[in-house]
Amino acid sequence: MAEGPFTHGFQVRLHDTDAAGVLFFAHLLRHAHDAYESLMAAAGFPLQGLIQDGIALPIVHTMADFQAPIRQGDRIQVEVSLDEVRRRSFSLNYRFLDAEGAQRARARTVHVLRGAGDTSALPSALRTALCRWLGPPDHGSQGTASQTQW
Amino acid sequence: MAEGPFTHGFQVRLHDTDAAGVLFFAHLLRHAHDAYESLMAAAGFPLQGLIQDGIALPIVHTMADFQAPIRQGDRIQVEVSLDEVRRRSFSLNYRFLDAEGAQRARARTVHVLRGAGDTSALPSALRTALCRWLGPPDHGSQGTASQTQW
Amino acid sequence: MAEGPFTHGFQVRLHDTDAAGVLFFAHLLRHAHDAYESLMAAAGFPLQGLIQDGIALPIVHTMADFQAPIRQGDRIQVEVSLDEVRRRSFSLNYRFLDAEGAQRARARTVHVLRGAGDTSALPSALRTALCRWLGPPDHGSQGTASQTQW
Amino acid sequence: MAEGPFTHGFQVRLHDTDAAGVLFFAHLLRHAHDAYESLMAAAGFPLQGLIQDGIALPIVHTMADFQAPIRQGDRIQVEVSLDEVRRRSFSLNYRFLDAEGAQRARARTVHVLRGAGDTSALPSALRTALCRWLGPPDHGSQGTASQTQW
């Protein structure tokens, strides 16, 4: 059922950079979240619907590695894959590839179900949808869904 | 009753700048809004209370002039004064002064009452509070509360 | 030679919004700048090249009007047109249209030539390129290139 | 020589939050960087000086845990401590405490020496200065300076 990573492209803008001339580190995670929002829409769970329904999937853990400078004008492809899905949480891996396919950075986010209504388990349709993008095991991964309490 | 401008200080951070080495222009308005939030708290109307009550004062117009470069590390004092208060709207002027007191930029925001409940008029306590910071007439001003429909 | 406005699309992301539920006003100008960067690349003057050459076109004036709420998930088309080009400066108008073509906001930026080398005049190739997107006269416009000293 | 953590305070602003009503996760790292900038200035190495000298200390790894919601208006105290300093890199831990002293989040950044001139070792004066804020061993820590190649 897995169909490879979900992809999301963007171009690095001037406001993404700082006076040191490269991407300001925290903005990488903003772009990761953009990719996550597109993935959730593709999964049939656009965030605007979740917010209206009072459902939240807040990020309880994140990490990022910066392997090479990213500069204004660079075109970046983000590959998002599911690391793990559990009863009430899931974790996503992000790879940031440049136009030559070289990895410039990677990131991870761990999301936990919160909010109004039944928060005992993720909707099964969401779990099924996320599994389309299940990635290979990442033995070096830290901060996975398994490490949450949920 | 006017007591001079409301003041709010900040230091320019790396993420405020871009690869051209100076403040990214839109971030000036972010700092203007920080000053506005502090002013509203000082007026007895902190934004968190307004949001909880379903009251909004969205900005319907803004402008800014950039008169000299602003760089990472600069300490900036923002002087906020009331330009005009009307039945359902008000406008604020912002002056951005450097450590020597020289004006590096200025901005304006126009806010209009929206949201739940009675939106026919601003709370009179808010109007009174805002008048503490009434500034001198700004004959060159554009985008004042008078230009709104409200 | 004018060929109508330059267009740039984006989708409103969660980080564009704030706890009041709508686009944080200053982020509109960030999106305007994204459109400007794409326009400059289409004109043959990508910003990364200008920055490398020590040429800057800083924004000395900006304004924006907010006509209707913009929310997470909204797809916005930005139409950019040249308002005016002068010896050392130019101004751009931005219209923000929703999926139904209704205008939700508009903005303007005025850019002035600065930096290393000859700053007495914009490169003529840039002036010619910008004129491809010359818009109709905007009689209500404020903060045009004409109002700069350059 | 250690004198306890370096402290930096801030108030959560509207633009820090998103339509879900709480701090947008990546903005926590922006605030961590603000604290880092203040720490570097206190250490005698303000970033503006490093940038002018062509020295960079880019972040090659970061992580954050979000333990409780952070909302607009909240006053947060950041406690920064040195996790580890090595020949060419160092790592910092950040604790985000609310007005009651409860920890709402924590973060880490790992910085590596890059740039013009001698990058074989951090200036010894910087190493000495950073040691003022050496924290207790964090046995659960991941992404420390030790894990870099430098």
Side-chain angles (χ1 to χ4, degrees):
Chain A
M1 197 160 73
E3 56 182 45
F6 177 84
T7 58
H8 165 80
F10 69 93
Q11 189 168 19
V12 180
R13 301 298 183 170
L14 193 61
H15 61 77
D16 286 315
T17 64
D18 61 36
V22 297
L23 179 86
F24 181 75
F25 83 117
H27 295 334
L28 186 86
L29 293 167
R30 178 165 54 74
H31 287 292
H33 203 276
D34 286 2
Y36 160 70
E37 292 181 43
S38 291
L39 176 147
M40 289 297 285
F45 291 83
L47 262 63
Q48 55 269 48
L50 297 177
I51 292 173
Q52 279 168 20
D53 294 345
I55 297 171
L57 292 166
I59 291 168
V60 293
H61 175 81
T62 192
M63 68 75 100
D65 288 313
F66 302 86
Q67 290 143 338
I70 296 176
R71 293 195 169 81
Q72 191 270 337
D74 288 349
R75 290 185 182 277
I76 302 292
Q77 192 79 359
V78 191
E79 290 186 358
V80 192
S81 56
L82 179 70
D83 181 52
E84 197 178 9
V85 62
R86 290 165 65 85
R87 189 174 171 76
R88 296 176 54 199
S89 66
F90 59 93
S91 55
L92 299 171
N93 286 321
Y94 306 81
R95 299 179 66 216
F96 295 81
L97 308 176
D98 62 22
E100 284 73 44
Q103 184 173 310
R104 301 274 188 98
R106 68 182 187 117
R108 178 176 298 114
T109 55
V110 181
H111 302 253
V112 173
L113 182 64
R114 290 271 189 275
D118 178 13
T119 57
S120 63
L122 293 167
S124 63
L126 174 58
R127 293 213 260 185
T128 302
L130 289 174
C131 287
R132 286 163 54 190
W133 301 294
L134 185 62
D138 179 359
H139 295 296
S141 74
Q142 296 159 343
T144 62
S146 322
Q147 292 178 315
T148 70
Q149 312 293 333
W150 301 278
Chain B
M1 197 161 69
E3 57 182 43
F6 177 84
T7 59
H8 166 80
F10 70 94
Q11 188 169 19
V12 180
R13 301 296 184 171
L14 194 61
H15 61 77
D16 286 316
T17 63
D18 61 37
V22 297
L23 179 86
F24 181 75
F25 82 117
H27 295 334
L28 186 86
L29 293 167
R30 177 166 55 75
H31 287 292
H33 202 275
D34 286 1
Y36 160 69
E37 292 182 44
S38 291
L39 176 147
M40 289 296 285
F45 291 84
L47 262 63
Q48 54 268 47
L50 297 177
I51 291 172
Q52 277 168 22
D53 294 346
I55 298 171
L57 293 165
I59 291 168
V60 294
H61 175 82
T62 191
M63 69 75 101
D65 288 312
F66 303 86
Q67 289 142 339
I70 296 177
R71 294 195 168 80
Q72 191 270 337
D74 288 349
R75 291 186 182 275
I76 302 291
Q77 192 79 0
V78 191
E79 290 187 357
V80 192
S81 57
L82 179 70
D83 180 52
E84 196 177 12
V85 62
R86 290 164 65 85
R87 188 173 172 76
R88 297 176 53 199
S89 67
F90 58 92
S91 56
L92 299 171
N93 287 322
Y94 307 81
R95 298 180 64 216
F96 295 81
L97 308 176
D98 63 23
E100 283 73 45
Q103 184 173 310
R104 300 274 189 98
R106 68 183 186 116
R108 178 176 299 115
T109 55
V110 181
H111 301 253
V112 173
L113 181 64
R114 290 272 189 274
D118 178 12
T119 57
S120 63
L122 293 167
S124 63
L126 174 57
R127 293 212 260 186
T128 302
L130 290 173
C131 287
R132 286 162 54 191
W133 301 295
L134 185 62
D138 179 0
H139 295 296
S141 74
Q142 296 157 342
T144 61
S146 322
Q147 292 177 315
T148 70
Q149 312 292 334
W150 300 278
Chain C
M1 198 162 68
E3 56 182 44
F6 177 84
T7 58
H8 166 80
F10 70 93
Q11 188 169 21
V12 179
R13 301 296 184 171
L14 194 61
H15 61 78
D16 286 316
T17 63
D18 62 35
V22 297
L23 179 86
F24 181 74
F25 82 117
H27 295 333
L28 186 86
L29 293 167
R30 177 165 56 73
H31 287 292
H33 202 276
D34 286 1
Y36 160 70
E37 292 182 44
S38 291
L39 176 147
M40 289 296 285
F45 291 84
L47 261 64
Q48 54 267 49
L50 297 177
I51 292 172
Q52 278 168 22
D53 294 345
I55 298 171
L57 293 165
I59 291 168
V60 293
H61 175 82
T62 192
M63 67 76 99
D65 288 313
F66 303 86
Q67 289 142 337
I70 296 176
R71 294 195 168 81
Q72 191 270 338
D74 288 349
R75 292 186 182 277
I76 302 291
Q77 192 79 0
V78 191
E79 290 187 357
V80 192
S81 57
L82 178 70
D83 181 52
E84 196 177 11
V85 62
R86 292 165 64 87
R87 187 174 173 75
R88 296 175 54 199
S89 67
F90 59 92
S91 55
L92 299 171
N93 286 322
Y94 307 80
R95 300 179 64 216
F96 295 81
L97 308 177
D98 63 22
E100 284 72 45
Q103 184 173 309
R104 299 274 189 98
R106 68 184 187 115
R108 178 176 297 115
T109 55
V110 181
H111 302 254
V112 173
L113 182 63
R114 290 272 190 273
D118 178 13
T119 56
S120 63
L122 293 166
S124 62
L126 175 57
R127 292 212 260 186
T128 302
L130 290 173
C131 287
R132 286 162 56 191
W133 300 295
L134 185 62
D138 179 359
H139 295 296
S141 74
Q142 296 158 344
T144 63
S146 322
Q147 292 177 314
T148 71
Q149 312 291 333
W150 298 278
Chain D
M1 199 161 69
E3 57 182 43
F6 177 83
T7 58
H8 165 81
F10 69 93
Q11 188 168 19
V12 180
R13 301 296 184 170
L14 193 61
H15 61 78
D16 286 315
T17 63
D18 62 35
V22 297
L23 180 84
F24 181 75
F25 82 117
H27 295 334
L28 186 86
L29 294 167
R30 177 166 56 73
H31 287 292
H33 203 275
D34 286 1
Y36 160 70
E37 292 181 44
S38 291
L39 176 148
M40 290 295 285
F45 291 83
L47 261 63
Q48 53 269 47
L50 296 177
I51 291 172
Q52 278 168 21
D53 294 346
I55 297 171
L57 292 166
I59 291 168
V60 293
H61 176 80
T62 192
M63 67 75 102
D65 287 313
F66 303 86
Q67 290 143 337
I70 297 176
R71 294 196 167 80
Q72 191 269 340
D74 287 350
R75 291 187 181 275
I76 302 291
Q77 192 78 0
V78 191
E79 290 187 357
V80 193
S81 57
L82 179 70
D83 180 52
E84 198 177 9
V85 63
R86 291 165 65 85
R87 189 174 171 75
R88 297 174 54 199
S89 67
F90 58 92
S91 54
L92 300 171
N93 286 322
Y94 307 81
R95 298 179 65 216
F96 295 81
L97 309 176
D98 63 23
E100 283 74 44
Q103 183 174 308
R104 300 274 189 99
R106 68 184 187 116
R108 178 176 298 114
T109 55
V110 182
H111 301 253
V112 174
L113 182 63
R114 289 271 189 275
D118 179 13
T119 56
S120 63
L122 293 167
S124 63
L126 175 56
R127 292 213 260 186
T128 303
L130 289 174
C131 287
R132 287 163 54 190
W133 300 296
L134 186 62
D138 179 359
H139 295 296
S141 75
Q142 295 159 343
T144 63
S146 322
Q147 292 177 314
T148 71
Q149 311 292 333
W150 300 278

